[in-house]
Amino acid sequence: MRIATWNINSVRLRLPLVCKLLDEQAPDVLCLQETKVVDDSFPTAEFRDRGYTHIHMHGMKSYNGVAILSRLPFASVDVKHWCEKQDCRHVLATLPGGIEIHNLYIPAGGDVPDPAVNDKFAHKLRFLDEMRAWFPANRSKDRPMILVGDLNIAPLEQDVWSHRQLLDVVSHTPVEVEKLTALQRSLDWVDAVRRFVPDSEKLYTWWSYRSADWAASDRGRRLDHVWVTPPLAPALTGTRVLREARGWEPKPSDHVPVLVDLAL
DNA sequence: ATGGTAGCGTAGCTA
């Protein structure tokens, strides 16, 4: 089973690139974030034509929005809301084998890493706290589950281009990293990508648009993740971060797809 | 310390 996750920053504008990914990598399941479209306007036809007939989307006007496209049928689907908001950041579905997949778009958190003066950062921290409480209260680590998405946090030192220079930059501050790590530990989630790429090796999934030459400066961050619960860890066979997609023309996303293969 | 780009939707917010 091949699982992919990609923040595409508008599914309508990026539709040709999403189709390119499906054609070239043939994931069984593709989780999208920042679809930026209401459900009635979601471009389902192009995906159905490619065999992705099972589509679970949850979108809103202009902002956020998540979707799961699948060639495999869903036994059930759901959406979850956090922080008393209806902002379309979390969908889940049950895949064959009883595997529950969670597709998340965690709040970016704004610019100032202080919850006292920045409501967006306070929202991000609360979102993490609520998830940290919900998962162990509602799910067992013995259940086969996959958690993917744009978590908007680069937890490891080699997940950013400069650990020292980003300690005060939202996405890599100690308080966020600690909360994400607490969430990860709560169900013994395994970082599927780091299973195959040593922690000592630089690895990024996002490069800012605000750079003259993203590839030359290479100031990236690993914001997009795939985690699995312990029952699925032995099934992991490989992973891929599709760095070249950052240069796909026209109009690349600032995030690239992350793919994980499981022998199931 | 600042500004740089992108998408939505057509001003200004979000990233």
Side-chain angles (χ1 to χ4, degrees):
Chain A
M1 186 185 293
R2 173 168 284 180
I3 306 291
T5 179
W6 197 11
N7 178 322
I8 33 80
N9 186 18
S10 170
V11 69
R12 288 176 292 179
L13 189 73
R14 226 73 67 190
L15 183 57
L17 297 187
V18 178
C19 290
K20 177 182 170 78
L21 176 74
L22 295 175
D23 294 342
E24 293 182 359
Q25 300 295 329
D28 295 293
V29 180
L30 172 60
C31 294
L32 299 173
Q33 303 87 36
E34 281 206 87
T35 54
K36 294 190 172 179
V37 66
V38 295
D39 294 347
D40 287 346
S41 300
F42 194 96
T44 56
E46 289 82 354
F47 302 137
R48 292 185 192 283
D49 290 346
R50 285 170 167 76
Y52 297 84
T53 54
H54 310 281
I55 302 177
H56 176 41
M57 81 282 276
H58 184 44
M60 58 188 282
K61 185 177 162 182
S62 300
Y63 302 112
N64 312 326
V66 284
I68 306 175
L69 318 178
S70 177
R71 308 200 282 203
L72 310 170
F74 301 137
S76 66
V77 296
D78 203 354
V79 307
K80 290 206 63 64
H81 295 107
W82 305 96
C83 309
E84 289 87 48
K85 293 176 184 286
Q86 308 288 315
D87 53 358
C88 305
R89 294 179 181 275
H90 188 175
V91 284
L92 56 146
T94 309
L95 301 171
I99 298 170
E100 188 172 83
I101 185 162
H102 291 261
N103 178 18
L104 278 154
Y105 177 50
I106 291 182
D111 287 331
V112 181
D114 179 356
V117 299
N118 175 7
D119 291 342
K120 292 200 278 280
F121 195 67
H123 178 212
K124 183 179 199 175
L125 298 183
R126 203 169 136 223
F127 195 103
L128 290 161
D129 284 339
E130 290 189 11
M131 289 217 309
R132 162 70 180 85
W134 186 87
F135 270 102
N138 292 277
R139 293 294 187 270
S140 163
K141 65 182 67 172
D142 299 326
R143 183 169 177 156
M145 293 194 290
I146 306 171
L147 185 156
V148 310
D150 178 4
L151 307 187
N152 265 315
I153 296 171
L156 304 180
E157 293 194 13
Q158 305 308 325
D159 288 342
V160 293
W161 64 274
S162 169
H163 170 62
R164 186 181 59 81
Q165 288 179 260
L166 271 74
L167 277 171
D168 275 334
V169 175
V170 171
S171 73
H172 194 61
T173 65
V175 62
E176 303 165 75
V177 169
E178 176 48 45
K179 288 185 184 296
L180 186 71
T181 305
L183 170 64
Q184 185 176 1
R185 285 201 208 101
S186 71
L187 288 187
D188 292 342
W189 291 100
V190 172
D191 181 334
V193 177
R194 284 295 185 190
R195 259 296 158 97
F196 299 95
V197 182
D199 289 3
S200 56
E201 191 173 308
K202 292 279 189 196
L203 187 63
Y204 314 136
T205 65
W206 172 89
W207 294 259
S208 174
Y209 282 127
R210 304 175 194 180
S211 163
D213 189 336
W214 70 272
S217 57
D218 200 21
R219 296 186 168 188
R221 307 177 200 172
R222 188 172 73 110
L223 305 179
D224 303 274
H225 300 270
V226 179
W227 294 352
V228 302
T229 47
L232 290 179
L236 291 167
T237 57
T239 185
R240 187 133 186 247
V241 174
L242 218 60
R243 179 186 167 104
E244 64 264 34
R246 184 61 180 80
W248 280 357
E249 293 295 340
K251 290 185 171 294
S253 171
D254 47 353
H255 294 252
V256 298
V258 178
L259 299 113
V260 166
D261 291 326
L262 298 129
L264 294 171

